[in-house]
Amino acid sequence: MSRLKDLRKERGFSQVKMQMLTGIDQSDYSKIETGRRGMSYEQCKRIALALDTSMDYLAGLTDEPVPYPRVSK
């Protein structure tokens, strides 16, 4: 999941910072980032929000890292 690592580094976030932003344990996050573990829908959503991107970008379905407009509640 090179995109995941690249985005994290572009934002200047460490894996520990991602743990704080997403609630995903750092060791689990590391496994997701290296492809040794998949991520759930909820984890993907939290990561996309933390990195200000779309779930489609993280999944490789688009090459556009800009997130979709958010729904205001």
Side-chain angles (χ1 to χ4, degrees), residues 4-73:
L4 191 55
K5 185 176 184 177
D6 292 344
L7 276 177
R8 177 179 60 80
K9 289 189 172 210
E10 281 177 25
R11 306 295 191 267
F13 296 162
S14 66
Q15 289 183 352
V16 173
K17 175 74 173 181
M18 289 301 294
Q19 175 181 334
M20 293 186 316
L21 292 172
T22 65
I24 301 168
D25 184 74
Q26 183 272 325
S27 66
D28 289 336
Y29 182 85
S30 175
K31 290 174 187 170
I32 291 169
E33 198 172 85
T34 58
R36 292 181 291 156
R37 179 174 185 258
M39 62 182 131
S40 70
Y41 170 84
E42 187 60 36
Q43 289 171 326
C44 187
K45 180 178 168 184
R46 286 191 235 159
I47 292 169
L49 287 171
L51 294 175
D52 195 31
T53 192
S54 69
M55 292 171 65
D56 282 353
Y57 181 75
L58 293 179
L61 299 175
T62 182
D63 289 330
E64 184 58 50
V66 178
Y68 303 118
R70 306 264 189 247
V71 175
S72 58
K73 294 183 179 183

